[in-house]
Amino acid sequence: MLEVAVIGAGQAGLSAAYHLVRLGFTPYDEVVVLDRNPAPGGAWQHRWDSLTMHDVHGIANLPGVPVPPSADTERANAFVPAYFADYEKRFALPVLRPVAVSSVHAVGGGFEVQTDGDTYRAAALVNATGTWDRPFIPWYPGIETFRGRQLHTADYRGAAELAGQHVLVVGGGASAVQLLAEISAVATTTWVTRRPPEWRTGDDFTPEYGRQVVARVEERVRAGLPPRSVVSVTGLHLRPQEQAAWDRGVYTRYPMFSRITPDGVEWADGRHEHIDTILWATGFRADLAHLAPLHLREPSGGIRMNGTATVADPRIHLVGYGPSASTIGANRAGFTAARSLRDLLKPQAA
């Protein structure tokens, strides 16, 4: 039986695996990383081709190896996976792929991890599955009648396929801001959000403010509430590459429509707008369905956390969840989870 099964090989999973090995867990014999993707790179390998290293909000260094220099024009979906692949190879991390975990059950004092192939037994779990495989699209009246195209940011492949259309972008996050800028260069756009956007300047993002943001997100997961996105706490930041779109009036925001019609959307006041494509930039939810048999969720819908450990069972750690959803937070969470499990499973080595 394994000591620790890590589920997911994105930033958080690789960080956890690195620290587990450094803290004395033997690769493959005591710890493995189960990754559903066919290649290294986590969710980055699935992002759209037009997302360049100039566009991303910074990539945190994985522990032990800094991110190499990159050209602004390099595609993020190639550069970051190459960095992750080199990292896995450099430290001989015990990553098995493609292995899709279907469910996890508590069995005989440990856990049984069922996959699309083998079944693994482990004394403890580090879940690092992120959110990419659970895109969220809210329901609105008439959504099933729309005759145009609907896609989520997870399905977006570039503005060229939307050229000449009228595109409705739904959502108030950073992805909506970025995609509005590039889509509006080739198409007509309308932007709708549930709440008016709160714009912040770069001067607002001090280290102290960052700590306050993390504390507010962590407060929710400690209470067992579903985590909110970081943007819901920080507000939106307009970058230089989006200034031209701002000057064109692209970021004129409209309130949410009341219903979707076969050829567009309609607001409560009766105003109707013809739409060719609805782009749902409405975020993601934590990909945790495989943990359902463990009954970790609170009645409020969240999972009560103490650091990276679940309150219901300290042998189960969630990294890349809640306050550790950012790349920097994921690195720290990986170390915290690894150290906690070392203290729990190998107290003599602590």
Side-chain angles (χ1 to χ4, degrees):
M1 184 171 78
L2 297 165
E3 294 285 353
V4 184
V6 180
I7 306 174
Q11 186 103 17
L14 292 182
S15 173
Y18 169 86
H19 288 297
L20 285 165
V21 172
R22 296 271 291 184
L23 291 173
F25 290 89
T26 305
Y28 296 106
D29 289 335
E30 294 184 318
V31 59
V32 296
V33 183
L34 308 176
D35 186 39
R36 74 188 312 166
N37 288 296
W44 288 100
Q45 64 195 282
H46 305 300
R47 297 184 186 272
W48 50 96
D49 289 347
S50 59
L51 183 70
T52 68
M53 294 305 295
H54 180 60
D55 297 318
V56 301
H57 296 281
I59 305 299
N61 296 329
L62 282 162
V65 180
V67 178
S70 64
D72 284 348
T73 56
E74 288 188 74
R75 283 169 31 196
N77 63 8
F79 178 85
V80 180
Y83 172 50
F84 283 16
D86 174 75
Y87 190 81
E88 291 181 16
K89 183 177 180 181
R90 182 188 299 255
F91 294 108
L93 297 180
V95 182
L96 303 176
R97 64 167 57 90
V99 177
V101 174
S102 55
S103 63
V104 181
H105 300 261
V107 176
F111 301 98
E112 187 174 84
V113 182
Q114 297 178 350
T115 78
D116 56 353
D118 295 331
T119 296
Y120 299 83
R121 295 287 300 275
L125 297 172
V126 175
N127 191 84
T129 45
T131 62
W132 185 259
D133 290 315
R134 279 205 65 203
F136 173 69
I137 296 179
W139 182 87
Y140 281 91
I143 190 171
E144 69 283 352
T145 70
F146 185 63
R147 292 196 295 261
R149 183 184 179 195
Q150 297 188 60
L151 71 159
H152 190 274
T153 48
D155 308 309
Y156 179 76
R157 292 296 174 264
E161 62 182 8
L162 303 174
Q165 297 185 22
H166 189 166
V167 181
L168 180 73
V169 178
V170 184
S175 293
V177 172
Q178 179 195 328
L179 296 183
L180 276 162
E182 62 181 69
I183 294 170
S184 65
V186 299
T188 302
T189 59
T190 296
W191 185 30
V192 297
T193 68
R194 288 191 298 125
R195 293 181 296 271
E198 180 182 346
W199 297 97
R200 303 190 69 92
T201 67
D203 294 339
D204 292 329
F205 288 88
T206 63
E208 177 58 29
Y209 179 68
R211 285 190 289 271
Q212 292 173 9
V213 169
V214 171
R216 289 171 65 182
V217 177
E218 187 172 13
E219 184 179 354
R220 286 185 61 84
V221 298
R222 280 187 177 274
L225 298 171
R228 287 179 179 165
S229 68
V230 173
V231 168
S232 70
V233 180
T234 64
L236 293 170
H237 179 58
L238 190 72
R239 301 171 302 164
Q241 57 264 49
E242 289 141 6
Q243 186 62 50
W246 177 277
D247 295 340
R248 295 196 307 271
V250 168
Y251 297 112
T252 299
R253 169 263 179 190
Y254 295 92
M256 287 302 300
F257 45 82
S258 59
R259 69 187 188 97
I260 300 174
T261 68
D263 65 344
V265 293
E266 186 176 286
W267 281 264
D269 61 4
R271 185 172 68 88
H272 180 272
E273 196 161 86
H274 172 80
I275 298 296
D276 298 302
T277 294
I278 301 175
L279 174 58
W280 297 96
T282 42
F284 299 79
R285 298 293 183 265
D287 183 14
L288 301 174
H290 53 287
L291 301 181
L294 301 176
H295 305 293
L296 299 174
R297 289 198 182 274
E298 298 286 319
S300 58
I303 297 176
R304 192 180 297 273
M305 303 292 296
N306 180 17
T308 61
T310 65
V311 170
D313 192 330
R315 300 171 301 169
I316 304 171
H317 288 252
L318 307 184
V319 294
Y321 175 82
S324 65
S326 67
T327 54
I328 293 176
N331 278 350
R332 294 171 180 166
F335 172 69
T336 299
R339 184 177 58 185
S340 296
L341 290 175
R342 186 274 313 269
D343 295 347
L344 180 68
L345 301 175
K346 293 177 176 284
Q348 71 280 4

